[in-house]
Amino acid sequence: VQLVESGGGLVQAGGSLRLSCAASGFTFDEYAVGWFRQAPGKEREGVSCIDSTDGSTYYGSTYYADSVKGRFTISSDNAKNTVYLQMNSLKPEDTAVYYCAVCWWSDGPLRGDYWGQGTQVTVSS
């Protein structure tokens, strides 16, 4: 399993970035894939996840952390084995290393496995 993130960078508050996660080494349309982030001195937290499992009852289901609802949008392209995270109205508190991972959720927090190497997002005030 390999997940490679790209698209991070430095942006001013209020700006936008789009992260990409290119997946390989597994059957992409059999898993949900999403995003986590870790800010300095803080624990890793789940940001968003999308279920793109072909034929699944949950196909198209998405998870968003409360802190990003209405600002971030997750999408996937099964033909390209890629998941995207469009981040708008960025805030300084969004500054973190963003990781792509296979993800799942039920009643609790988002969980993940098979982590990418991460991409840095820095939002200046």
Side-chain angles (χ1 to χ4, degrees), residues 1-3 21 23-24 26-36 48-64 74-78 81-84 99-106 110-116:
V1 175
Q2 187 174 20
L3 298 166
C21 171
S24 61
F26 65 103
T27 305
F28 184 77
D29 60 7
E30 292 185 357
Y31 294 89
V33 177
W35 296 90
F36 296 74
S48 185
C49 182
I50 185 166
D51 189 336
S52 300
T53 306
D54 280 345
S56 169
T57 302
Y58 303 100
Y59 179 84
S61 297
T62 56
Y63 169 100
Y64 291 99
I74 193 169
S75 61
S76 68
D77 185 335
N78 284 14
N81 287 3
T82 301
V83 172
Y84 305 96
Y99 298 91
C100 181
V102 172
C103 50
W104 62 95
W105 73 97
S106 56
L110 187 66
R111 297 187 176 189
D113 202 354
Y114 300 108
W115 304 94

